[in-house]
Amino acid sequence: KNPDRNGGSNPTNTNSDSGVSAVSCAHARIEGGTIAGFGDAGVYPGGDNTTGATGDGSVTEIVGTYFYRCNVGVTPKRELEYLLVEGCKFEECVAGIVAAEVSPYVAPARKMDIRGNRFKKCKANIARYRGITTGSFSDNIVEDWGYDHTGATSAGGNAIALLAYGTSN
């Protein structure tokens, strides 16, 4: 079971990087708990950091976890082989689940299945599939999308709920 993690009350807090880092883990499972206020990612899963790697078989499952005011709830990188995010709640995060590469060398997660989650008052990118990333986005609830809880700016043109950026299949 996942214990609570708190990086602070501000998702842009530069003093709080990531709540949980599961890089090059054969199989990581995060279940329950609250992950709040991290300036990079609430959870940062990834494969290895080798160019052209296959993610070294790394799998991460995140189940029933509450993400609150993180910059990004989950950022899968480094060709993570598989990510499952199920039954989680993301509230007042700048973004929900964002596949990203370690530029310019290592590609993003290979497969993401995002299902049965609730995204409430997130600003942009509820889910972003990028480059080689495939997978599914199903049975999720999105409420008050494009919301900026800091009041600093409108989400405006950056408020793309589901983004498939350079992906195929």
Side-chain angles (χ1 to χ4, degrees):
K1 303 288 180 187
N2 184 49
D4 295 338
R5 304 271 187 254
N6 191 338
S9 60
N10 185 348
T12 60
N13 178 3
T14 58
N15 294 319
S16 61
D17 187 33
S18 299
V20 177
S21 182
V23 175
S24 291
C25 292
H27 189 168
R29 182 174 173 94
I30 298 163
E31 185 175 347
T34 297
I35 299 175
F38 286 94
D40 187 1
V43 176
Y44 176 24
D48 62 25
N49 214 15
T50 306
T51 304
T54 61
D56 65 16
S58 295
V59 171
T60 299
E61 299 171 315
I62 305 169
V63 180
T65 303
Y66 176 51
F67 294 88
Y68 180 69
R69 287 199 173 184
C70 291
N71 187 39
V72 180
V74 181
T75 305
K77 293 184 181 180
R78 296 183 168 103
E79 296 185 341
L80 177 74
E81 193 67 31
Y82 180 69
L83 172 69
L84 169 67
V85 181
E86 185 172 41
C88 295
K89 182 175 181 182
F90 297 80
E91 187 171 3
E92 294 187 18
C93 294
V94 175
I97 303 162
V98 174
E101 67 267 342
V102 179
S103 187
Y105 307 108
V106 186
R110 292 182 171 273
K111 184 173 182 181
M112 299 190 313
D113 285 329
I114 302 168
R115 58 183 182 230
N117 301 289
R118 185 175 190 154
F119 300 88
K120 184 175 182 179
K121 294 185 177 179
C122 292
K123 184 173 180 179
N125 288 170
I126 297 302
R128 180 176 77 185
Y129 296 78
R130 183 178 180 110
I132 66 169
T133 311
T134 63
S136 65
F137 184 85
S138 62
D139 300 319
N140 297 290
I141 297 171
V142 178
E143 299 178 76
D144 296 328
W145 158 73
Y147 176 86
D148 181 9
H149 74 273
T150 65
T153 61
S154 165
N158 291 324
I160 300 168
L162 182 58
L163 178 62
Y165 182 73
T167 63
S168 62
N169 300 322

